[in-house]
Amino acid sequence: AQRVTQPEKLLSVFKGAPVELKCNYSYSGSPELFWYVQYSRQRLQLLLRHISRESIKGFTADLNKGETSFHLKKPFAQEEDSAMYYCAPLTGGSYIPTFGRGTSLIVHP
Amino acid sequence: GAGVSQSPRYKVAKRGQDVALRCDPISGHVSLFWYQQALGQGPEFLTYFQNEAQLDKSGLPSDRFFAERPEGSVSTLKIQRTQQEDSAVYLCASSLVLAGVGEQYFGPGTRLTVT
């Protein structure tokens, strides 16, 4: 079964600091990967997906097939980035994304 | 337009009671998913519908859980003889495209508390 690991339950940084939210998955093929975000009192929403190669709100995520990782990065964190972030790989043979347990990002002023 | 809506937003049930949770997806969305989210965990897949067909119910934890989408729009998740371990937030999501390859639009969730 597909496994996804988000090792940090909580990540606390100061405004302007770089941030990296880690995600590792168990599948060794060619996955599609998503990052979803949930801001306080809002519903879960898509932040970005690997296939789009986009930068959303300053966030990027690089797929490293060798390390089976899809870490989410932002060079300068903002207070409004404080939220819960979920990595969700979608692997070949499974059309249902598997969500990690999430990382809570807190950006202090 | 309106997003995915779920009702009720909160439900308290006594152990042994049956509950029904409703999901109204975005109009025209083919795919509909149900997830269960326990406290401190990510959403866990329960079941998937493509229009009215339930193509995957592998995540339903027991035969007390039943879901339907009879006309390919509104879906209902029913839990019979609720147990305390059923306490969780139940999320519904819909997608314009088939399966999980596209963006999923989530509802606000129904928080179920079984006492």
Side-chain angles (χ1 to χ4, degrees):
Chain A
Q2 168 67 239
R3 288 193 311 276
V4 54
T5 303
Q6 292 183 252
E8 304 120 339
K9 199 169 182 180
L10 173 66
L11 191 60
S12 182
V13 301
F14 285 99
K15 177 182 172 181
V19 63
E20 180 180 66
L21 292 91
K22 293 185 169 57
C23 173
N24 289 86
Y25 58 93
S26 60
Y27 185 68
S28 59
S30 297
E32 167 63 297
L33 296 116
F34 302 85
W35 275 98
Y36 279 82
V37 61
Q38 187 166 25
Y39 300 102
S40 179
R41 297 189 186 87
Q42 294 187 29
R43 58 189 67 188
L44 200 56
Q45 58 186 286
L46 180 68
L47 177 63
L48 58 79
R49 57 184 302 180
H50 167 250
I51 197 171
S52 301
R53 300 280 200 273
E54 292 174 307
S55 172
I56 305 294
K57 297 184 179 182
F59 284 96
T60 58
D62 292 323
L63 173 62
N64 185 323
K65 290 187 182 179
E67 295 180 358
T68 59
S69 68
F70 190 55
H71 303 329
L72 184 68
K73 300 177 184 178
K74 184 168 183 177
F76 307 104
Q78 302 300 314
E79 290 177 68
E80 56 265 29
D81 296 328
S82 296
M84 198 74 184
Y85 292 80
Y86 296 93
C87 178
L90 177 73
T91 56
S94 166
Y95 47 80
I96 306 295
T98 301
F99 285 82
R101 68 169 182 175
T103 296
S104 176
L105 174 64
I106 298 176
V107 182
H108 300 281
Chain B
V4 177
S5 60
Q6 293 185 245
S7 61
R9 292 292 313 279
Y10 303 91
K11 177 69 179 178
V12 178
K14 290 187 177 177
R15 190 170 56 181
Q17 281 185 330
D18 298 348
V19 298
L21 312 180
R22 178 188 169 106
C23 172
D24 281 84
I26 294 173
S27 178
H29 277 199
V30 171
S31 296
L32 186 145
F33 305 80
W34 282 99
Y35 295 89
Q36 181 190 59
Q37 186 172 22
L39 191 64
Q41 302 298 318
E44 287 208 17
F45 170 73
L46 292 177
T47 186
Y48 162 65
F49 289 87
Q50 180 182 315
N51 295 307
E52 69 278 3
Q54 189 176 20
L55 297 188
D56 191 333
K57 53 181 181 179
S58 62
L60 296 177
S62 77
D63 58 8
R64 296 186 295 105
F65 286 70
F66 172 77
E68 60 183 3
R69 193 187 185 197
E71 297 178 359
S73 55
V74 171
S75 177
T76 303
L77 176 67
K78 298 179 180 177
I79 309 173
Q80 297 177 323
R81 304 181 304 282
T82 52
Q83 304 294 316
Q84 283 194 317
E85 61 262 28
D86 300 335
S87 295
V89 174
Y90 290 85
L91 296 170
C92 174
S94 70
S95 177
L96 187 59
V97 299
L98 298 179
V101 298
E103 177 176 0
Q104 294 190 32
Y105 295 82
F106 282 83
T110 294
R111 182 178 297 277
L112 173 65
T113 303
V114 182
T115 61

